[in-house]
Amino acid sequence: MIWRTVSIVSLAVLVLLAGWSYGLNQEVGELRSALAAERDENVIDALAAAAAQELQDQAAVEALNVRYARAFDLNERNGAAWADTFTADGVFVVGGEEHVGHGALIAFQQGLVEAGRRTRHVMSNIEMTRRGDAATASAYLTLYTPADTAGGEVKVSTSRYKDELVLTEAGWKFKRREVVPDTLAVKSD
């Protein structure tokens, strides 16, 4: 009789443990699901934050290109506004010549103004790739050079900018900007 009582008690304990284990497994499963959902939510939040940052950076670089064009074309602050789109040691490369630093940039731009050269920059297809506080970028350039006299011919040229940018306290600036002229191959018969 004692064995039978022990067996019944053992069986009852096993049933209780099995039920507890099932409940525990169910709770663990629910906890795992909740953690997975939270992890997925964190991943989604991180991806959304990265996408938002990419859009903000792209918009900031497009705005930098607008400031660059306006400052150059309108000779804002006698070239200083254009130079301010570059870092203090920024480099502008055009026609194989490098103009390094704000002083050289202003001198280059003012030389064109003194020679009577007026321009209208139109940039498009602006792309950038960020790497920390630096980025590479490119843009298409259509450059209009108005005629010196009314009714004269407007010259149009196309190029591409190759840029190296850095993020400063004042926002994105050009560390290096190079003008790469388009060349058209003419096929002869």
Side-chain angles (χ1 to χ4, degrees), residues 36-112:
E38 185 176 326
R39 185 193 71 231
D40 290 346
E41 192 173 302
N42 289 342
V43 168
I44 290 168
D45 288 346
L47 290 173
Q53 184 63 56
E54 185 176 339
L55 289 172
Q56 288 173 348
D57 289 337
Q58 182 69 29
V61 169
E62 288 178 11
L64 175 65
N65 275 278
V66 169
R67 283 194 314 277
Y68 170 99
R70 184 191 65 237
F72 193 96
D73 294 342
L74 301 178
N75 189 29
E76 291 181 348
R77 295 186 4 245
N78 296 318
W82 177 67
D84 285 344
T85 63
F86 289 82
T87 59
D89 60 348
V91 179
F92 180 63
V93 182
V94 61
E97 293 182 27
E98 287 190 354
H99 307 276
V100 182
H102 282 187
L105 294 170
I106 291 169
F108 168 75
Q109 200 261 355
Q110 291 304 290
L112 294 175

Side-chain angles (χ1 to χ4, degrees), residues 3-46:
W3 282 108
R4 193 171 167 177
T5 304
V6 169
S7 293
I8 291 173
V9 169
S10 295
L11 183 60
V13 168
L14 285 174
V15 168
L16 285 173
L17 286 175
W20 178 79
S21 175
Y22 173 77
L24 183 61
N25 283 339
Q26 197 171 15
E27 286 180 32
V28 168
E30 290 171 6
L31 183 58
R32 282 186 180 152
S33 294
L35 287 173
E38 185 176 326
R39 185 193 71 231
D40 290 346
E41 192 173 302
N42 289 342
V43 168
I44 290 168
D45 288 346

Side-chain angles (χ1 to χ4, degrees), residues 80-141:
W82 177 67
D84 285 344
T85 63
F86 289 82
T87 59
D89 60 348
V91 179
F92 180 63
V93 182
V94 61
E97 293 182 27
E98 287 190 354
H99 307 276
V100 182
H102 282 187
L105 294 170
I106 291 169
F108 168 75
Q109 200 261 355
Q110 291 304 290
L112 294 175
V113 168
E114 290 169 9
R117 181 151 183 227
R118 296 175 301 138
T119 58
R120 291 294 180 259
H121 290 74
V122 178
M123 272 83 85
S124 62
N125 298 2
I126 300 167
E127 295 180 315
M128 65 129 11
T129 302
R130 182 177 181 166
R131 290 181 185 86
D133 287 344
T136 56
S138 64
Y140 288 178
L141 166 66

